[in-house]
Amino acid sequence: MEKKQLQLQPRLQMLADLVPEGARLADVGTDHGYLPVWLLQRGRIRTAIASDIGAEPLHHAQRTAQEQGIDSVDFRLCDGLQGIKAEETDTVVIAGMGGETIAHILQQAPWTADGVHTLLLQPMTKAEQLRLWLSQNGYRFTGERLVRDKDFLYPIMQVTGGAQAVLGEPEQYSGVLLEEDPLYSEYLQHQIYRLQRAIDGRSRASSETNRVETCRLETICRALEEKERRLCHGDST
C-alpha cells in the first residue's frame, strides 16, 4: 500500500511554500522534522539538515522521517547553527522560537549575513525586536508574509544579508513589505491592541520613567492606527 504523505499545519505550510525550489535546507529547531520531510517527499529540495538543541525532539524528527520512508535527512544535535557550515546550505529556516532566540542564533553564525543565504524566520514572540535587530546587523528584508494558524497570526520574515535602513519604531511593530498581504489589516489591529494594553498598564504608574515610556508607546500606536486607517481607505503610502 502506498504510504500517505505528510500534511502540514498552515504555519509550516507557508514556510514550505517559501522555501526555494532545489534548496539545500537547514531547518533549525526542527522539532518533529515535519518541514524537511514534507519537502523531500515532494522533491522540492536537494538536501536537508535538521538540527535541534534537544536530543528528544531530534529523536522525534528521526522517527517522523523513518515513518515517512525518508532516509536522506542529515540530523544534527547542536545549538542553533553551531554544528552547520555555511557551504552546507543555502536556505535556513528558524521557526517556532522567540524573536530574541532567533537573533541570538544568527549572531552566533555571522555567515548568515553574507548575502548568499536565504533566511526564513518565524518568531512566535517579540517580532518587533527581531525586525530591529536584523535591520541593525546587516540583514535586508526581501519580504514578509502573514499566516493564520489556530486563531493566531504569525509573521514570516524573508531576509538575506545586505544593506537595510534601520527600522523606526512603527515599522518594528507594523512589519516590512506587508501592505499587499490580505491579513495585514488584522495584524495591525492586533499590534495596536497589544500597544494599547501596554499603555494602559503603564499609565497607572506615576514615575517619570513610566511617563516617558507611555509617551513612546502612544506615538507608535498612533502611527499604526494611521497606517491601518490608510490601508482601509485603499491608500498604503
Side-chain angles (χ1 to χ4, degrees):
M1 186 183 350
E2 186 177 350
K3 186 179 292 295
K4 186 177 179 181
Q5 287 192 325
L6 190 68
Q7 300 300 312
L8 299 179
Q9 294 298 315
R11 183 175 60 88
L12 287 180
Q13 185 63 62
M14 176 70 79
L15 283 162
D17 292 344
L18 292 173
V19 171
E21 189 84 23
R24 292 179 296 134
L25 177 72
D27 183 28
V28 178
T30 194
D31 197 21
H32 284 76
Y34 295 145
L35 182 65
V37 167
W38 188 93
L39 288 165
L40 285 167
Q41 277 185 328
R42 288 154 179 80
R44 285 276 314 281
I45 56 176
R46 284 186 287 164
T47 61
I49 299 170
S51 74
D52 209 287
I53 195 172
E56 186 174 353
L58 204 63
H59 176 69
H60 290 323
Q62 291 170 321
R63 187 166 59 192
T64 296
Q66 183 179 28
E67 290 173 350
Q68 295 294 320
I70 298 296
D71 60 6
S72 54
V73 181
D74 184 349
F75 295 100
R76 302 200 186 169
L77 183 66
C78 61
D79 184 357
L81 286 159
Q82 293 302 290
I84 300 172
K85 297 177 182 178
E87 60 270 22
E88 294 181 299
T89 179
D90 53 37
T91 303
V92 177
V93 172
I94 311 178
M97 307 176 197
E100 73 281 17
T101 301
I102 295 174
H104 175 74
I105 289 170
L106 296 176
Q107 189 174 34
Q108 299 301 308
W111 54 264
T112 55
D114 60 9
V116 175
H117 293 81
T118 295
L119 310 180
L120 298 173
L121 312 176
Q122 187 272 300
M124 302 297 279
T125 60
K126 300 183 179 178
E128 61 275 5
Q129 293 185 20
L130 178 58
R131 291 187 187 105
L132 175 61
W133 186 89
L134 290 166
S135 72
Q136 290 177 326
N137 287 274
Y139 297 88
R140 176 174 60 87
F141 285 80
T142 59
E144 191 168 343
R145 298 288 297 276
L146 296 167
V147 60
R148 189 196 311 281
D149 197 335
K150 297 177 182 176
D151 297 325
F152 289 95
L153 281 181
Y154 298 101
I156 297 175
M157 303 168 194
Q158 301 164 271
V159 303
T160 189
Q164 168 80 49
V166 175
L167 298 179
E169 288 186 317
E171 290 72 31
Q172 294 165 33
Y173 282 85
S174 66
V176 181
L177 304 174
L178 277 171
E179 285 76 9
E180 302 302 318
D181 195 290
L183 296 173
Y184 191 39
S185 179
E186 186 177 344
Y187 184 69
L188 285 174
Q189 291 170 21
H190 172 70
Q191 296 294 74
I192 290 166
Y193 174 72
R194 284 184 58 215
L195 287 162
Q196 288 173 339
R197 287 193 63 185
I199 291 165
D200 290 344
R202 287 190 171 273
S203 64
R204 298 188 184 97
S206 59
S207 71
E208 179 61 24
T209 300
N210 268 301
R211 282 195 292 270
V212 171
E213 179 64 7
T214 298
C215 183
R216 184 183 74 86
L217 294 175
E218 287 175 339
T219 300
I220 299 170
C221 192
R222 285 195 297 271
L224 266 62
E225 288 171 338
E226 176 61 19
K227 182 181 282 286
E228 204 271 333
R229 186 195 64 78
R230 292 200 308 268
L231 191 67
C232 289
H233 287 80
D235 177 12
S236 61
T237 58

